[in-house]
Amino acid sequence: MAENRGSNKKTGGTYVEPGSGFTRDTRYIDTRITADGRDGYPVEPGRYRLVAARACPWANRAVIVRRLLGLEDALSLGLCGPTHDERSWTFDLDPGGVDPVLGIPRLQDAYFARFPGYDRGITVPAIVDVPTGEVVTNDYAQMTLDFSTEWTQYHRDGAPELYPERLRDEIDEVADAVYRDVNNGVYRCGFAGSQASYDQSFDRLFARLDQLEERLGTRRYLVGDSITEADVRLFTTLVRFDPVYHGHFKCNRNPLTAFPALWGYARDLFQTPGFGDTVDFVQIKQHYYLVHTDINPSRIVPRGPDLSNWLSPHGREVLGGRPFGDGTPPPPPRVAESVPPDHAPRRHSPNP
């Protein structure tokens, strides 16, 4: 894969296999960082660096959860730029194109430090062991669950329970369906190599969105009455839907704005501290439209859609619920980790 998994395919390369459907490579590095260090990597503040890219929805999950739980002091953040070449995601946003903590220009350097000749995708998010410079894990699904369950000693005061034990079975069930048909479903549409595989993926995607529309018509959040891991996982696809997936990936039965409940839900989360303040729409569009040149050979990045509607009232408060449960909102993002103001929605100024 290119975008979401940070593949080692070339910018301007091929992401569609003619005549076939898209199959994701799910062979991730499954080493875990745990409180007891059973895999050889104990939770230690300052030891690890989370490497992400604002363009990537899977990495965006890790950035959101880190913020909601207040792990900034325990786990530093390195950000790659929105595009990559055939070798790796790169640290082209940093001075000299080198990550200031890891001292490397390419994320692949951390992968090769642990696994010389690593032949799978150089993907984000990844967590790197700073003392050795070696990648620890790129298992994005387990990573955020471990932030909630293994890093608890370093959670901020007021951190929400994103994976409460009493709701885990339901969260897992909902998240699995969202992954299969929505998170991965948009890619199965965009990278379909045949009409039949596209049609099947398209139907599955919108059937699931219709079900989620019905579910969210009567409840504010996917599971329980506060934000959970399931909401984080759905949000990062929804926030990219109209700017990218609707047109670029041909997911065009309806835009997100045509789903009253889903659109209100997405705005509700976007306006919740820790969600929208991690979203960089400029980098998101740059990534998809510049990297997938077999889908967009002109490499022209669309100027639309108008994003100011992300700040419009959503009215979801009438459904009840408490965003952070018994917890509190996270503080504003640190200056060094803030999305540039011109990369985020702005309200239209009233006419003079």
Side-chain angles (χ1 to χ4, degrees):
M1 275 297 296
E3 182 279 330
N4 64 326
R5 302 312 312 145
S7 137
N8 57 0
K9 292 191 176 184
K10 183 178 181 181
T11 298
T14 300
Y15 297 95
V16 176
E17 186 67 32
S20 67
F22 164 67
T23 301
R24 181 177 301 280
D25 182 355
T26 57
R27 298 171 299 158
Y28 306 119
I29 303 168
D30 60 3
T31 308
R32 292 176 62 189
I33 299 170
T34 57
D36 63 7
R38 56 186 175 272
D39 285 357
Y41 293 94
V43 171
E44 295 180 13
R47 175 173 172 175
Y48 305 101
R49 186 160 177 82
L50 171 64
V51 178
R54 293 202 188 276
C56 171
W58 318 88
N60 195 177
R61 295 179 181 185
V63 174
I64 290 171
V65 172
R66 173 180 174 268
R67 248 192 56 65
L68 293 177
L69 298 178
L71 291 173
E72 290 93 336
D73 286 336
L75 180 66
S76 66
L77 176 66
L79 290 171
C80 298
T83 62
H84 56 76
D85 61 16
E86 73 280 5
R87 293 166 60 191
S88 161
W89 292 89
T90 56
F91 294 100
D92 48 288
L93 302 176
D94 292 306
V98 173
D99 180 87
V101 172
L102 300 175
I104 57 176
R106 294 177 174 274
L107 181 56
Q108 72 171 14
D109 297 334
Y111 278 73
F112 291 165
R114 185 176 175 198
F115 303 107
Y118 187 81
D119 62 356
R120 287 174 262 163
I122 306 298
T123 66
V124 290
I127 298 180
V128 179
D129 181 40
V130 175
T132 63
E134 298 178 357
V135 67
V136 178
T137 182
N138 65 346
D139 188 349
Y140 66 93
Q142 187 63 49
M143 187 184 298
T144 51
L145 299 182
D146 284 343
F147 287 170
S148 284
T149 60
E150 300 290 338
W151 291 71
T152 53
Q153 183 178 352
Y154 303 102
H155 288 181
R156 66 179 176 87
D157 291 339
E161 277 195 280
L162 299 178
Y163 196 51
E165 192 165 358
R166 68 188 184 281
L167 297 176
R168 285 180 190 175
D169 287 347
E170 187 177 2
I171 291 171
D172 291 346
E173 180 182 4
V174 171
D176 181 63
V178 166
Y179 167 77
R180 289 195 321 268
D181 298 333
V182 181
N183 300 146
N184 197 40
V186 293
Y187 288 92
R188 290 206 319 267
C189 290
F191 293 152
S194 71
Q195 188 69 51
S197 62
Y198 166 76
D199 289 347
Q200 181 184 52
S201 301
F202 182 96
D203 290 344
R204 284 182 59 179
L205 167 65
F206 281 97
R208 183 65 64 188
L209 289 176
D210 287 340
Q211 290 176 4
L212 291 167
E213 171 74 8
E214 183 177 359
R215 182 183 185 97
L216 290 166
T218 57
R219 55 196 304 163
R220 191 171 179 185
Y221 304 109
L222 284 173
V223 181
D225 65 355
S226 60
I227 292 164
T228 67
E229 174 82 17
D231 298 298
V232 176
R233 296 187 180 197
L234 178 57
F235 171 79
T236 58
T237 296
L238 295 183
V239 81
R240 289 162 174 78
F241 200 89
D242 286 5
V244 175
Y245 303 142
H246 180 267
H248 184 60
F249 277 177
K250 305 181 183 70
C251 301
N252 61 353
R253 193 197 78 180
N254 309 102
L256 179 63
T257 54
F259 291 92
L262 279 168
W263 173 226
Y265 166 83
R267 280 178 290 153
D268 188 2
L269 291 177
F270 187 88
Q271 295 170 33
T272 298
F275 283 84
D277 54 35
T278 71
V279 175
D280 187 318
F281 282 109
V282 170
Q283 288 195 23
I284 288 169
K285 292 199 298 182
Q286 286 175 339
H287 175 83
Y288 286 88
Y289 288 102
L290 294 177
V291 171
H292 303 154
T293 54
D294 56 340
I295 298 175
N296 185 42
S298 70
R299 303 184 81 231
I300 292 172
V301 179
R303 295 190 66 179
D306 179 12
L307 300 172
S308 62
N309 54 3
W310 279 97
L311 302 177
S312 64
H314 52 76
R316 300 279 294 178
E317 303 92 340
V318 299
L319 295 174
R322 300 173 298 155
F324 301 100
D326 293 331
T328 58
R334 298 175 178 189
V335 173
E337 296 183 2
S338 296
V339 173
D342 59 347
H343 288 203
R346 289 177 290 180
R347 288 185 172 87
H348 288 309
S349 300
N351 292 328

